[in-house]
Amino acid sequence: VTGGPAPAGVGVLGATGYAGAELVRLLSGHPGARLAAAGSRSNAGRTMSRVFPSMPAAGLVLDDDPDRPEAWLDRGVQVVFTALPHGAFAPRARAWLDAGLRVIDLSADFRLRGAGEFLERHGVDHPDPGLLQRAVYGLTEWCGPEIDAAPLVANPGCYATAVLLGLLPAIHAGWGSSEPIIVNAISGVSGAGRSPSLSTHFAECDGSVAPYRVGEEHPHLAEILQAMGRVGESAPGPVIFNPHLAPMSRGILASMAFRLGRPVDSGRARELYAARYAGSPFVRVLDEGALPETRHVRGSNRCDLAVRTAAGGSVLMVFAAIDNLIKGAAGQAVQNFNRMMGWPEETALPLAGWSCA
Amino acid sequence: VTGGPAPAGVGVLGATGYAGAELVRLLSGHPGARLAAAGSRSNAGRTMSRVFPSMPAAGLVLDDDPDRPEAWLDRGVQVVFTALPHGAFAPRARAWLDAGLRVIDLSADFRLRGAGEFLERHGVDHPDPGLLQRAVYGLTEWCGPEIDAAPLVANPGCYATAVLLGLLPAIHAGWGSSEPIIVNAISGVSGAGRSPSLSTHFAECDGSVAPYRVGEEHPHLAEILQAMGRVGESAPGPVIFNPHLAPMSRGILASMAFRLGRPVDSGRARELYAARYAGSPFVRVLDEGALPETRHVRGSNRCDLAVRTAAGGSVLMVFAAIDNLIKGAAGQAVQNFNRMMGWPEETALPLAGWSCA
Amino acid sequence: VTGGPAPAGVGVLGATGYAGAELVRLLSGHPGARLAAAGSRSNAGRTMSRVFPSMPAAGLVLDDDPDRPEAWLDRGVQVVFTALPHGAFAPRARAWLDAGLRVIDLSADFRLRGAGEFLERHGVDHPDPGLLQRAVYGLTEWCGPEIDAAPLVANPGCYATAVLLGLLPAIHAGWGSSEPIIVNAISGVSGAGRSPSLSTHFAECDGSVAPYRVGEEHPHLAEILQAMGRVGESAPGPVIFNPHLAPMSRGILASMAFRLGRPVDSGRARELYAARYAGSPFVRVLDEGALPETRHVRGSNRCDLAVRTAAGGSVLMVFAAIDNLIKGAAGQAVQNFNRMMGWPEETALPLAGWSCA
Amino acid sequence: VTGGPAPAGVGVLGATGYAGAELVRLLSGHPGARLAAAGSRSNAGRTMSRVFPSMPAAGLVLDDDPDRPEAWLDRGVQVVFTALPHGAFAPRARAWLDAGLRVIDLSADFRLRGAGEFLERHGVDHPDPGLLQRAVYGLTEWCGPEIDAAPLVANPGCYATAVLLGLLPAIHAGWGSSEPIIVNAISGVSGAGRSPSLSTHFAECDGSVAPYRVGEEHPHLAEILQAMGRVGESAPGPVIFNPHLAPMSRGILASMAFRLGRPVDSGRARELYAARYAGSPFVRVLDEGALPETRHVRGSNRCDLAVRTAAGGSVLMVFAAIDNLIKGAAGQAVQNFNRMMGWPEETALPLAGWSCA
């Protein structure tokens, strides 16, 4: 890999969560990034390799997550990835943007466009509503051109990524009806983060599958509805979103089904999807009969999709699989970074997954 | 535990699959059963405890699965549980029934009532269609009285058990509409049986979730539709059934959603279900806000159910969890045995699950 | 099950940890126990079935763990099982014993006989050293007669149970040498308790095996050495104890090897063990060539043992498997309760494990 | 990555086992390798990406594993990696070598130097004993210079790699004694290959740990003894090798302990190891107090080692962790390829592992 723009100094806030650590790992192999700083409230003063012994070369000493960007600017940081708990970065964002830094935020802080929606969804006022309109939603395959010049990218949630890549082609084509769109999704436990809790305790999760925050409760639903509204010509039916936890660390499998406005056969549905994603290196529409499995995208930035119809062509079924920490978080963030910095979208992102877990 | 009818001699055909082994384990602790014979094509001549070292007291020597019942009658077998691969018992069933044995069959051989349906679903003619009408479907909570005197009980499939316990109260109440019923289900790998294959190889399943035979492909769908047709007043909409495999050994979690004919609030939905199952010791309708998890029914014969509505009461959501090898197979078979023999339905069946996997 | 002594009122302190919950589950099915009270600091005021939805019949309301026994005596408690964090019960023990209650303590508080050893091992003075001599070590197969009349039983640690059942026959026979005894043990994660921590976080444990507190660091080592010293004629060599964590919830597999004082062939070693445990319903010495697996003892109170020699008979190898929460905790406690109350040792304890996890 | 020798045409025999698939994945990203051919008996005629949907870019059509090299030479293959079942390549090896191809063999066919040892270990005569002396053992950190010019490299077994990297520094330093060396090792299930069997069936492995082929039975033991004999000045004591299977796909953790000839303190032991591996990019000797975990080497070509002494310095304890499919198979093969072709040893090999499984 030669040529390309000069390497940019990058920093990672919240480097010791799973998304943060994957960012450090991916950026360490990026020809266009020089990891100049990393922050972690809980591990300040330690090296990254101390916290993650899996990364022996990551000798960088972790800062406390700084409130202001000056020290990081001095170290040459030009782009900052923020992987903080939801709500932690929004109050500081303006300072970082005003200093000329470009920001790729992996939290939910800037994903909704309206302050009202934010209040309704999160129960508190947004700390800096004026920034919401400046943020570009970072679903690369649908928002790519807007991302190129964006100062602030709101990286999509992991569930939202899988669901939207699966639903948007049909919604964009106006295939929906007023009937409900039923979305079931199954996630690995790393999606709940790295802070210990009873619900992520090994002996509680092991050998068990469970739904949680079903129906209209999960925060990603607002993000899904907003993105659907932007591409669809008419209001789709209600979306029922049922997330489930499965006993694995990584991966999301989303299974979607809804009544079509008029019958479509499976071949035509596949064609629509294949055409829509023909230029997208990280979305693969599977051959007829094949179905996605999370192991096939493990460690990869890919989203695998299958689409077909049932009940005489009246119901569309879409299945999507991603690695929640890669395409659902750190990988998509790097994909957006690549667009922002003028690198080919695939740079430093794995296309192949592992042969086994 | 005293009183009760005299112990009956029982036999298990196909004792070394998972369902067969669970039958042996449960029947060994049953005051009304004396395990007189067990058969296994693949392990004939060995003791059960040699094949399953987990059962040190099971010194019974395994027969080759006999074609005719004479030898087992000589040993005092009165009731036979058949846990053979689908299609293996049907050609022999008449001989066993004619000999006066009562049969609880855990395969799909006698679950469908019509020979035409059987041909369509399984691609071969039923070997003895005249028996189909004599078989009673063994979904205990819905077919109990018919089971009491049945000579031949067709024990339901594991998926069908979870889905039907979840859907039937609403269908029976006429709450359905012509819109599709979307059923997603997640199963542990033991549901695929004990014969090794690439799809059940540890390193292929580990850390991965995958859909399979989705839409209208899975054989349990015919069984589900037939049972719905029997309780419902009008034809329900099409059923889309998407089974998934998760990296765990036991458990099924079914998540169901469909458009209601007219709006219902969550409280009323819960009441309907609670009333319907008030007398069923093994179905628990969870309190408002709670959701079932497969770990809570692990090792138990229970089905845990949650029911609520969404989208302004227009969509019913039902969640069901069972242990696929207990309530979904061996446990429900023993529950049917209890009814057939005049024992309390709960006899020798665990109500509590384990504190952890 | 008829006859037997009248049921005794029992209570469980620390009922919402894994060992406590397994105690509640096992005691609920015990003909000689009436669960009259249960305590839990973290869940006082809730029902047991609320905290463990797997136990729908456990409607008992949890007390705050009481400091004094009066209220529990009023409810008819005669025997109390304490499954509290180490150090929590010792300061209160005298009050409970003086009130005439018999105590089976599952913590490490009373396992060491000497106050000096306790100080050295735990770094603090024992709160009531006078009680140490009154406590009887509860390794049922070796200390049974002492347990029968004991007011206070110190239930062994899970690792110590597996290791001692495996080593004591050889040590007792004087087969040891002055060379080191190397013990490697692999435990499921439930052994670390139910309090969330990073080291028991699902995404940290999943797919990984790791040693911890190796060599001479683990607290169970003192307990192992003390018990070896009591049965052995001469001091054995140093014991190197290497515990490991594996990605499973339950089970301990201990693999032990050491130089024999003089050569022994495998057959003779097996005979020694088989003879020693001939009257022990819960210890099974496996046939030649077989090796224990934790899945075979899952859910059972058994310990499976294999013994053989290598290197020309000069090295003894012993392998032991238990379910850490049953034989390694709650099951052995009930086994001791059975002895103390005059019930057959097997009462209410499962001999068979499950056909699959 | 620029410069370096011109890319060599490479082929993989046995490309659809786990080691073969990892070879394809790693070689696809290697600047010095052009994957020109791949063979698979069981999947001939399919594309690699059909068999491993995780590799969407691997459009190479699989050959039947050819018996003779001509067709592959025509396609420009210069180096062939063989990942066939043990015994399958040895009879064909001479033809491939005589044709001028260099071979890196991942099977056990050429690991032992003596035809007599081979017969004793494998129970059959070696098909071409004259080649045994031409093969170079491929434990890179110990045999590197011999590997550089080797025509035929016998890539070490996965267990042997972990155990030898852990034991050889002490043996080489003459620290051993005549007392037994006790080696316990825990492996993920992928080490048993990709052919389905009952012992690798998900529901049999899940939630269980088990020893197998313990003591002196495992084939890797001969390989370990041979390598120890080559570096040690005097014969070490007997090696007791106890492999165990754990419920995870990848990883080996080896825990070794033995009596030292004379006492050594932990610091000096660490120094010896650190000095020995100072120039080895893929062996990391951990800081005092740290212990290796398989998750830290997951996906990496590293071996993490911890060394310390116990029992007053009289017992050496060594712990080693590798990813069995990378450093224990495909990664070490690529490391050897790098040496053979004049590339830096680290080329195309991951140093960092993943943040979580």
Side-chain angles (χ1 to χ4, degrees):
Chain A
V1 184
T2 55
V10 300
V12 176
L13 285 176
T16 59
Y18 292 126
E22 290 292 273
L23 278 168
V24 169
R25 187 174 66 86
L26 292 173
L27 291 169
S28 298
H30 198 300
R34 183 179 56 79
L35 188 63
S40 165
R41 283 269 141 99
S42 49
N43 287 288
R46 295 184 180 167
T47 60
M48 189 69 188
S49 67
R50 170 85 188 283
V51 184
F52 283 92
S54 57
M55 302 188 200
L60 202 68
V61 176
L62 293 158
D63 295 317
D64 197 343
D65 283 326
D67 284 324
R68 300 202 46 84
E70 284 72 15
W72 284 27
L73 285 167
D74 289 349
R75 288 198 234 155
V77 173
Q78 299 163 264
V79 181
V80 65
F81 295 81
T82 56
L84 298 173
H86 300 308
F89 183 65
R92 314 184 228 169
R94 189 171 291 266
W96 294 70
L97 292 167
D98 287 351
L101 285 160
R102 297 178 78 180
V103 174
I104 301 171
D105 180 36
L106 281 76
S107 82
D109 290 3
F110 296 100
R111 291 182 194 151
L112 300 181
R113 312 229 50 179
E117 277 173 286
F118 187 93
L119 173 60
E120 183 185 0
R121 176 56 53 183
H122 298 285
V124 291
D125 283 319
H126 192 280
D128 195 342
L131 286 182
L132 288 174
Q133 294 297 323
R134 286 170 62 187
V136 170
Y137 191 59
L139 187 68
T140 326
E141 284 74 14
W142 287 85
C143 315
E146 290 175 75
I147 292 164
D148 295 352
L152 170 57
V153 170
N155 217 56
C158 50
Y159 279 124
T161 297
V163 172
L164 289 170
L165 291 175
L167 289 179
L168 290 188
I171 298 301
H172 185 246
W175 285 10
S177 70
S178 60
E179 290 301 317
I181 297 175
I182 310 295
V183 177
N184 277 263
I186 310 167
S187 174
V189 183
S190 67
R194 200 163 171 254
S195 296
S197 70
L198 189 59
S199 63
T200 56
H201 195 52
F202 185 89
E204 301 286 309
C205 299
D206 181 37
S208 186
V209 164
Y212 67 102
R213 303 180 86 171
V214 296
E216 295 152 317
E217 291 179 12
H218 197 282
H220 285 191
L221 183 53
E223 188 183 337
I224 291 168
L225 293 172
Q226 170 181 278
M228 288 173 68
R230 287 176 61 191
V231 308
E233 294 179 23
S234 65
V239 177
I240 303 297
F241 176 52
N242 295 335
H244 299 72
L245 215 56
M248 59 187 190
S249 290
R250 287 174 179 246
I252 285 179
L253 191 290
S255 299
M256 299 156 264
F258 60 95
R259 167 75 79 177
L260 290 164
R262 74 192 59 155
V264 171
D265 69 32
S266 285
R268 174 129 182 266
R270 253 199 98 263
E271 276 165 32
L272 177 81
Y273 276 68
R276 178 60 189 78
Y277 291 121
S280 298
F282 291 117
V283 179
R284 175 168 61 158
V285 180
L286 298 177
D287 290 342
E288 188 188 338
L291 289 166
E293 311 192 16
T294 65
R295 66 190 173 107
H296 296 154
V297 295
R298 196 181 181 82
S300 157
N301 195 50
R302 281 198 339 269
C303 175
D304 277 3
L305 287 179
V307 58
R308 59 175 80 176
T309 58
S314 71
V315 174
L316 188 76
M317 296 161 55
V318 189
F319 301 89
I322 60 168
D323 183 322
N324 61 310
L325 296 180
I326 310 290
K327 181 60 180 170
Q332 186 158 234
V334 171
Q335 193 178 354
N336 289 330
F337 171 82
N338 288 339
R339 290 199 65 119
M340 291 161 74
M341 308 306 287
W343 286 87
E345 208 166 302
E346 301 93 324
T347 309
L349 288 171
L351 183 66
W354 286 12
S355 63
C356 77
Chain B
V1 182
T2 56
V10 299
V12 176
L13 285 176
T16 59
Y18 292 125
E22 290 292 274
L23 278 168
V24 169
R25 187 173 66 86
L26 292 173
L27 291 168
S28 298
H30 197 300
R34 183 181 55 81
L35 187 64
S40 165
R41 283 269 141 99
S42 49
N43 288 288
R46 296 183 179 168
T47 59
M48 188 70 189
S49 68
R50 169 86 189 281
V51 185
F52 284 93
S54 58
M55 301 188 200
L60 201 68
V61 176
L62 292 159
D63 296 315
D64 197 344
D65 282 327
D67 283 325
R68 299 202 47 83
E70 285 72 15
W72 284 27
L73 285 166
D74 289 349
R75 287 199 233 154
V77 173
Q78 298 163 263
V79 181
V80 65
F81 295 81
T82 57
L84 298 173
H86 300 308
F89 183 65
R92 316 185 226 169
R94 189 171 291 264
W96 294 69
L97 292 167
D98 286 351
L101 286 160
R102 296 179 79 181
V103 175
I104 301 171
D105 180 34
L106 281 75
S107 82
D109 290 3
F110 296 100
R111 291 181 195 152
L112 300 181
R113 312 228 52 177
E117 275 175 289
F118 187 92
L119 173 60
E120 183 185 1
R121 177 56 54 183
H122 297 285
V124 293
D125 283 319
H126 193 279
D128 196 343
L131 286 181
L132 288 174
Q133 294 298 321
R134 285 169 64 186
V136 170
Y137 191 60
L139 187 67
T140 326
E141 284 75 14
W142 287 86
C143 315
E146 290 175 76
I147 293 165
D148 295 351
L152 170 57
V153 171
N155 216 56
C158 51
Y159 280 125
T161 298
V163 172
L164 289 170
L165 290 175
L167 289 180
L168 290 188
I171 298 301
H172 185 249
W175 286 10
S177 71
S178 61
E179 290 302 316
I181 297 175
I182 311 294
V183 177
N184 277 264
I186 310 167
S187 174
V189 183
S190 68
R194 199 162 171 255
S195 296
S197 70
L198 189 59
S199 64
T200 56
H201 195 53
F202 185 88
E204 301 286 310
C205 299
D206 180 38
S208 187
V209 163
Y212 67 102
R213 303 181 85 175
V214 296
E216 293 151 318
E217 291 179 13
H218 197 281
H220 285 190
L221 183 53
E223 187 184 338
I224 292 168
L225 293 172
Q226 171 180 278
M228 288 172 67
R230 287 176 61 191
V231 307
E233 295 178 21
S234 65
V239 176
I240 303 297
F241 175 51
N242 296 335
H244 299 71
L245 215 56
M248 60 187 190
S249 289
R250 288 173 179 247
I252 285 180
L253 192 289
S255 299
M256 298 156 266
F258 60 96
R259 167 76 76 178
L260 290 165
R262 74 193 57 155
V264 171
D265 68 32
S266 285
R268 177 131 178 265
R270 253 200 97 262
E271 276 165 30
L272 177 80
Y273 276 68
R276 178 59 188 79
Y277 291 121
S280 298
F282 291 117
V283 178
R284 176 170 59 158
V285 180
L286 299 177
D287 290 341
E288 188 189 338
L291 289 166
E293 312 192 15
T294 66
R295 67 191 172 106
H296 296 153
V297 295
R298 195 183 184 82
S300 158
N301 194 51
R302 283 198 338 271
C303 175
D304 276 3
L305 288 177
V307 57
R308 58 174 84 174
T309 57
S314 70
V315 174
L316 187 76
M317 297 161 56
V318 189
F319 301 89
I322 61 168
D323 183 321
N324 61 311
L325 296 180
I326 310 289
K327 181 60 180 170
Q332 187 158 233
V334 171
Q335 194 179 354
N336 289 331
F337 171 83
N338 288 339
R339 291 200 65 119
M340 292 162 74
M341 307 306 287
W343 286 87
E345 209 167 302
E346 301 92 322
T347 309
L349 288 171
L351 183 67
W354 286 13
S355 64
C356 77
Chain C
V1 185
T2 55
V10 299
V12 176
L13 285 176
T16 58
Y18 292 125
E22 289 293 273
L23 278 168
V24 169
R25 187 173 66 86
L26 292 173
L27 291 168
S28 299
H30 198 300
R34 183 179 55 80
L35 187 63
S40 165
R41 283 269 142 99
S42 49
N43 288 288
R46 296 183 180 168
T47 60
M48 189 69 189
S49 67
R50 169 85 189 281
V51 184
F52 283 92
S54 57
M55 302 188 200
L60 202 69
V61 176
L62 293 159
D63 295 316
D64 197 343
D65 282 328
D67 283 325
R68 302 202 44 85
E70 284 71 15
W72 284 27
L73 285 167
D74 289 349
R75 288 199 234 155
V77 174
Q78 298 162 264
V79 181
V80 65
F81 295 81
T82 56
L84 299 173
H86 300 309
F89 183 65
R92 315 185 227 170
R94 189 171 291 267
W96 294 70
L97 292 167
D98 286 352
L101 286 159
R102 297 178 77 179
V103 174
I104 301 171
D105 180 35
L106 281 76
S107 81
D109 290 3
F110 295 100
R111 291 182 194 151
L112 300 181
R113 313 235 41 185
E117 277 172 287
F118 187 93
L119 173 60
E120 183 184 1
R121 176 56 55 182
H122 297 284
V124 292
D125 284 319
H126 193 280
D128 195 343
L131 287 182
L132 289 174
Q133 294 298 321
R134 286 170 63 186
V136 170
Y137 190 59
L139 187 67
T140 326
E141 284 74 14
W142 287 86
C143 314
E146 290 175 75
I147 292 165
D148 294 351
L152 169 58
V153 171
N155 217 56
C158 50
Y159 280 125
T161 297
V163 171
L164 289 169
L165 291 175
L167 289 179
L168 290 187
I171 298 302
H172 185 246
W175 285 11
S177 71
S178 61
E179 290 301 316
I181 296 174
I182 311 294
V183 177
N184 276 263
I186 309 168
S187 174
V189 183
S190 68
R194 199 162 170 255
S195 296
S197 71
L198 189 59
S199 64
T200 56
H201 195 53
F202 185 89
E204 302 286 309
C205 299
D206 181 37
S208 187
V209 163
Y212 67 101
R213 302 180 86 173
V214 296
E216 294 152 319
E217 290 178 13
H218 197 282
H220 285 190
L221 183 53
E223 187 183 338
I224 291 167
L225 293 172
Q226 172 181 280
M228 288 173 68
R230 286 176 63 191
V231 307
E233 294 179 23
S234 65
V239 176
I240 303 297
F241 176 51
N242 296 335
H244 300 71
L245 215 57
M248 60 188 189
S249 289
R250 286 173 180 247
I252 285 180
L253 192 289
S255 299
M256 300 157 263
F258 59 96
R259 167 76 80 178
L260 290 165
R262 75 192 59 153
V264 172
D265 69 32
S266 285
R268 175 127 181 267
R270 251 199 100 263
E271 277 165 30
L272 177 80
Y273 276 68
R276 178 60 189 78
Y277 291 121
S280 297
F282 291 117
V283 179
R284 176 169 59 158
V285 180
L286 299 177
D287 290 342
E288 188 189 338
L291 289 166
E293 311 191 15
T294 65
R295 66 190 172 110
H296 296 154
V297 296
R298 195 181 183 82
S300 157
N301 194 50
R302 281 196 341 268
C303 175
D304 276 2
L305 287 178
V307 59
R308 58 174 80 174
T309 59
S314 70
V315 174
L316 188 76
M317 295 162 56
V318 189
F319 300 89
I322 61 168
D323 182 321
N324 61 309
L325 295 180
I326 310 289
K327 182 60 180 170
Q332 186 158 232
V334 171
Q335 194 179 353
N336 289 330
F337 171 83
N338 287 340
R339 291 201 64 120
M340 292 161 73
M341 307 307 287
W343 286 87
E345 209 166 301
E346 301 92 324
T347 309
L349 288 171
L351 184 66
W354 287 12
S355 63
C356 77
Chain D
V1 183
T2 56
V10 300
V12 177
L13 285 175
T16 58
Y18 292 125
E22 290 291 274
L23 277 169
V24 169
R25 188 173 65 87
L26 292 173
L27 291 169
S28 298
H30 198 300
R34 182 179 56 80
L35 187 64
S40 166
R41 283 269 140 99
S42 49
N43 288 288
R46 295 184 180 167
T47 59
M48 188 70 189
S49 67
R50 170 85 189 282
V51 185
F52 283 93
S54 58
M55 302 189 201
L60 201 68
V61 176
L62 292 159
D63 296 316
D64 197 344
D65 282 327
D67 283 327
R68 302 203 45 84
E70 284 72 15
W72 284 27
L73 284 167
D74 288 349
R75 288 198 233 154
V77 173
Q78 297 162 264
V79 180
V80 65
F81 295 82
T82 57
L84 299 172
H86 300 308
F89 183 65
R92 316 185 226 170
R94 189 171 291 266
W96 295 69
L97 292 167
D98 286 352
L101 286 160
R102 297 178 78 179
V103 175
I104 301 171
D105 181 35
L106 281 74
S107 82
D109 290 3
F110 295 101
R111 291 182 194 151
L112 300 181
R113 312 230 51 179
E117 275 174 288
F118 187 93
L119 173 61
E120 183 185 0
R121 176 56 55 184
H122 297 285
V124 292
D125 283 318
H126 193 279
D128 195 344
L131 286 182
L132 288 173
Q133 294 298 321
R134 285 170 63 187
V136 169
Y137 190 61
L139 188 67
T140 326
E141 284 74 14
W142 287 86
C143 315
E146 290 175 76
I147 292 164
D148 294 351
L152 170 57
V153 170
N155 217 55
C158 51
Y159 280 125
T161 298
V163 172
L164 289 171
L165 291 174
L167 289 180
L168 290 187
I171 299 302
H172 185 248
W175 285 11
S177 71
S178 61
E179 290 302 317
I181 297 175
I182 311 296
V183 176
N184 278 263
I186 309 166
S187 174
V189 183
S190 67
R194 199 161 171 256
S195 296
S197 70
L198 189 59
S199 64
T200 57
H201 195 54
F202 185 88
E204 301 285 310
C205 299
D206 180 37
S208 187
V209 164
Y212 67 101
R213 303 180 85 174
V214 296
E216 294 150 319
E217 291 179 13
H218 196 281
H220 285 190
L221 183 54
E223 187 183 339
I224 291 168
L225 293 172
Q226 171 181 280
M228 288 173 68
R230 286 176 62 191
V231 308
E233 295 178 22
S234 65
V239 176
I240 303 298
F241 176 51
N242 296 334
H244 299 71
L245 216 56
M248 60 186 189
S249 289
R250 288 172 178 247
I252 285 180
L253 193 288
S255 300
M256 299 158 265
F258 61 95
R259 167 74 79 178
L260 291 165
R262 74 194 57 157
V264 171
D265 68 32
S266 285
R268 177 132 176 264
R270 253 200 97 264
E271 278 165 29
L272 177 79
Y273 276 69
R276 178 60 189 78
Y277 290 121
S280 298
F282 291 116
V283 179
R284 175 169 61 159
V285 180
L286 299 177
D287 291 341
E288 189 189 337
L291 290 166
E293 311 191 17
T294 66
R295 67 191 172 108
H296 296 152
V297 296
R298 195 182 183 84
S300 157
N301 194 50
R302 283 197 339 270
C303 175
D304 277 2
L305 288 177
V307 57
R308 57 174 82 174
T309 58
S314 70
V315 174
L316 188 75
M317 297 162 56
V318 189
F319 301 89
I322 61 168
D323 183 321
N324 61 311
L325 295 179
I326 312 288
K327 181 61 180 170
Q332 187 159 231
V334 171
Q335 194 180 353
N336 289 331
F337 171 83
N338 288 339
R339 290 201 65 120
M340 292 162 74
M341 308 307 286
W343 286 87
E345 210 166 300
E346 300 93 323
T347 309
L349 288 171
L351 184 66
W354 286 12
S355 63
C356 78

